[in-house]
Amino acid sequence: MLEGLDAVDWRGLEPVGPDRRSATAVPKVLRRIARADATTGQEAVDRAYGELQDLLWTPEGVSDAGTAALPFLVDLALDPGTVARADLVDVLAGVADHAAAGGARAADSGWDAAWRLHRPRLQRLLDDPDPVIRRAALQLVEGRTALLLEQWHKETDPSVRVTTLLAMGEAAAAEDAAGAEDPAGAKAAEVRAVLDAVVHGEDPVLRVAGVIATAPLDPQAPLRDCPMLLELLTDPALAPEFETVWYTLNCEYPYDRDAVAAWAVHLLGQDTMVATSFVAGLAEAGNRTDDEGLRRCALDAAWRLLVVRPSVAAAVLQLAAGMLADPDDDVRYKAAHLLAVSGRGAAPYADRLAALLDDPGASQFFDGTVGDHARWALTRIGDPRALPDLVERLVAPYRDMPSRGYVLGDPRQPDVADVLRPLRAHSAVLLPAVREALRDEVARNGWLVRDLRDVLQAWGENPLLPGENEPYPRPWEPPSMEPAQAEATVLEYAADGQFLGAFSTALASLARHERLAPPVREALTALRAADRRLSAYHDYRAFLQDEEIRAQIDVVLALP
């Protein structure tokens, strides 16, 4: 193996890697990979492959050393004795994709010609005895419908069949969109025939995969087959099968049943009523079969719908309220959060929320407790039962917190200022606790000093403590727009749907004028009625900003 490696003039090639090392580092890593065996530690193997990828890539494409290394990489990938071959195939596929994105740079380096020469050798991996290797090798023929069809007809392993099916639907749709040469649409027709046979076949997991694989070619397919998807995805006997066979390209770990259900909801999202009904079906099945995974999945899907579609609010509120007493902590946590972001719409369920104020249940991945979200929900409703100990409960978690991490698109605890700032009507009750918390935070140089000062300022109170003399800056306000600029900004946002940071400023500027031009009125009226969240955020702030924007639109539309 690796014959001819020393014949390459590695020293004559351009430096490689982020640290611009000599290209002689490439053969050294290749030899480390070739020498690895069953006794080599996983960490050493992972480090070797990671280093190899760094050496082969450049910001523009593939290094000269990457092109020179390709035949040896192929030799290693084809050798059954190479440790973690699937990882090496992943590296090769990643380099090839990076080269394709590099365009002319890849051609200049000779990579394109080298890849065309060696790619047929790599396709032999599609017949490898190891299904893990065959599945990884599908990345090398991604987007090539004919080869994926050929693989489908000869493949027997369930996990490789699912991956092939999903890749085939994407490839056929991409080739169709690109106008690829396909006499009379023969390949696309064959793919559709295969997918139709699978959807109406006997293997239940493949039937679900067939519907999802058909979606890129026919977006209406999930809507037509929604009852079948719901039946199969809520079958308790099938749930374990998904996480043994449902792999996608470039994904090391399989999807479980809940992840596949979330994928289905995403595809159904083009019809809000169908998607909402599907989510309700997941929840009902979770209750009927005592499956907390399905109930969690239903609430996660409900969140993803609600954060973009205001029209689902009533159905989601009813769903979430019905789960406030669920025995699973994670379910109650997510249900309380959904009610909290819904604001005053959750008012009919205030008593149920108040019963959860001391609930210590927590979510596996998010901070805070069920009680924290129930208390926030009551503040959003305007229920005074949220006020006792509110400030202390908000600030206590930060006292010993070195930092706070969160993702932007999922349910999470709201920031302290976002909870307190809207409570100016209750400032007389909350003010002593806020000032005490500020004193403590200043003394400790804590995380919340600015948040608490901003809250005081928003309430019209002095944000400084006794003895502090340096003025606290007023919140920054963008300069007002001229009427023509404000109208143009509003029309632009209404036309393309992309949130503009200046949109709120434009609305504020229009509100100061005495009249509203008819085209702007029409655009704002349509925008106000649209079933979309008027925000660039995808967490709880989407609801807060949407409420603010809609209130501004109402003020502007009240102009003559």
Side-chain angles (χ1 to χ4, degrees):
M1 193 191 304
L2 301 183
E3 288 85 357
L5 193 63
D6 291 332
V8 177
D9 180 17
W10 299 101
R11 294 185 182 279
L13 300 178
E14 64 181 350
V16 294
D19 52 358
R20 311 306 294 158
R21 280 183 282 168
S22 166
T24 56
V26 173
K28 293 177 182 177
V29 175
L30 292 175
R31 288 193 173 95
R32 278 163 49 199
I33 293 172
R35 287 195 301 266
D37 56 27
T39 65
T40 307
Q42 186 61 46
E43 184 179 346
V45 174
D46 292 343
R47 186 167 56 249
Y49 282 126
E51 186 177 350
L52 176 64
Q53 182 163 290
D54 285 343
L55 296 174
L56 302 181
W57 286 33
T58 70
E60 299 81 18
V62 182
S63 65
D64 292 341
T67 301
L70 181 58
F72 308 109
L73 293 169
V74 175
D75 289 342
L76 287 169
L78 292 172
D79 185 347
T82 300
V83 171
R85 273 196 303 153
D87 291 345
L88 180 57
V89 176
D90 289 344
V91 170
L92 273 166
V95 172
D97 287 346
H98 190 60
R105 175 66 177 82
D108 292 344
S109 71
W111 170 268
D112 285 352
W115 183 247
R116 286 194 298 272
L117 176 65
H118 292 286
R119 190 173 189 172
R121 294 176 61 207
L122 283 169
Q123 289 172 10
R124 285 155 45 190
L125 293 171
L126 293 171
D127 295 313
D128 195 276
D130 185 350
V132 175
I133 299 301
R134 297 200 301 276
R135 196 167 61 238
L138 289 172
Q139 299 173 80
L140 304 173
V141 296
E142 180 181 4
R144 302 176 73 185
T145 305
L147 289 172
L148 289 166
L149 274 167
E150 181 182 333
Q151 186 68 21
W152 168 258
H153 288 303
K154 67 183 180 183
E155 185 56 65
T156 59
D157 182 84
S159 71
V160 187
R161 298 197 91 200
V162 168
T163 311
T164 304
L165 202 66
L166 296 170
M168 194 161 55
E170 292 280 0
E175 289 182 1
D176 190 46
E181 292 186 10
D182 181 9
K187 289 303 177 186
E190 186 176 354
V191 169
R192 290 176 185 273
V194 165
L195 294 173
D196 185 66
V198 169
V199 169
H200 295 91
E202 297 182 357
D203 186 313
V205 174
L206 276 180
R207 292 179 71 194
V208 175
V211 175
I212 291 179
T214 304
L217 283 164
D218 179 7
Q220 298 299 308
L223 299 176
R224 290 194 302 271
D225 292 309
C226 181
M228 181 262 283
L229 288 174
L230 184 61
E231 176 188 355
L232 297 179
L233 287 167
T234 58
D235 185 341
L238 288 179
E241 295 188 27
F242 286 93
E243 55 189 315
T244 63
V245 301
W246 195 287
Y247 288 84
T248 61
L249 292 178
N250 308 312
C251 187
E252 181 179 359
Y253 301 103
Y255 283 46
D256 62 14
R257 182 272 318 268
D258 298 346
V260 177
W263 193 342
V265 174
H266 173 72
L267 295 175
L268 295 169
Q270 58 189 296
D271 187 318
T272 304
M273 290 183 62
V274 173
T276 306
S277 175
F278 185 84
V279 170
L282 294 177
E284 188 278 327
N287 288 324
R288 175 168 35 85
T289 61
D290 194 23
D291 186 335
E292 68 272 7
L294 269 181
R295 300 197 299 275
R296 294 175 188 173
C297 180
L299 288 175
D300 288 340
W303 163 264
R304 284 188 285 271
L305 288 172
L306 185 61
V307 79
V308 295
R309 300 292 182 197
S311 66
V312 306
V316 168
L317 275 170
Q318 185 176 0
L319 175 72
M323 295 188 178
L324 287 175
D326 196 277
D328 183 75
D329 287 356
D330 207 39
V331 170
R332 295 196 312 283
Y333 179 100
K334 292 174 178 178
H337 183 83
L338 280 168
L339 289 167
V341 297
S342 299
R344 294 189 178 276
Y349 311 106
D351 289 343
R352 297 191 207 179
L353 290 164
L356 297 175
L357 287 174
D358 296 317
D359 189 329
S363 174
Q364 182 178 0
F365 299 109
F366 305 110
D367 56 356
T369 66
V370 175
D372 293 332
H373 285 285
R375 181 170 278 98
W376 181 40
L378 290 176
T379 70
R380 297 262 292 143
I381 294 169
D383 192 311
R385 285 175 287 185
L387 301 181
D389 300 324
L390 172 63
V391 176
E392 171 59 21
R393 288 179 178 268
L394 287 173
V395 302
Y398 289 86
R399 292 199 179 105
D400 300 315
M401 186 183 294
S403 63
R404 182 184 182 191
Y406 54 82
V407 290
L408 296 180
D410 285 296
R412 66 177 178 94
Q413 276 274 79
D415 291 338
V416 171
D418 287 334
V419 177
L420 293 177
R421 195 183 290 113
L423 301 179
R424 182 170 184 170
H426 301 284
S427 61
V429 175
L430 298 173
L431 191 57
V434 172
R435 290 204 179 280
E436 179 59 33
L438 178 58
R439 278 191 290 270
D440 181 60
E441 287 292 296
V442 169
R444 296 185 311 101
N445 193 25
W447 290 93
L448 299 177
V449 172
R450 181 170 181 175
D451 290 58
L452 294 171
R453 292 195 195 277
D454 287 348
V455 167
L456 290 171
Q457 195 170 66
W459 289 354
E461 300 288 341
N462 185 356
L464 302 179
L465 294 173
E468 292 181 330
N469 298 313
E470 184 176 346
Y472 190 65
R474 300 290 303 172
W476 180 81
E477 294 184 4
S480 179
M481 294 182 178
E482 292 297 322
Q485 182 186 2
E487 291 178 353
T489 300
V490 168
L491 292 173
E492 180 183 355
Y493 174 62
D496 66 17
Q498 295 298 314
F499 187 81
L500 303 172
F503 183 60
S504 179
T505 305
L507 291 173
S509 298
L510 289 176
R512 287 191 286 268
H513 298 290
E514 295 182 355
R515 290 191 174 277
L516 191 62
V520 178
R521 181 180 298 279
E522 292 173 10
L524 286 176
T525 301
L527 192 61
R528 186 70 174 81
D531 186 20
R532 53 171 293 197
R533 196 68 63 184
L534 304 182
S535 174
Y537 294 115
H538 293 283
D539 57 14
Y540 76 88
R541 292 172 296 179
F543 299 87
L544 306 185
Q545 188 172 49
D546 181 73
E547 292 167 0
E548 294 172 0
I549 293 292
R550 289 179 184 278
Q552 284 187 286
I553 291 176
D554 289 343
V555 170
V556 173
L557 289 178
L559 294 172

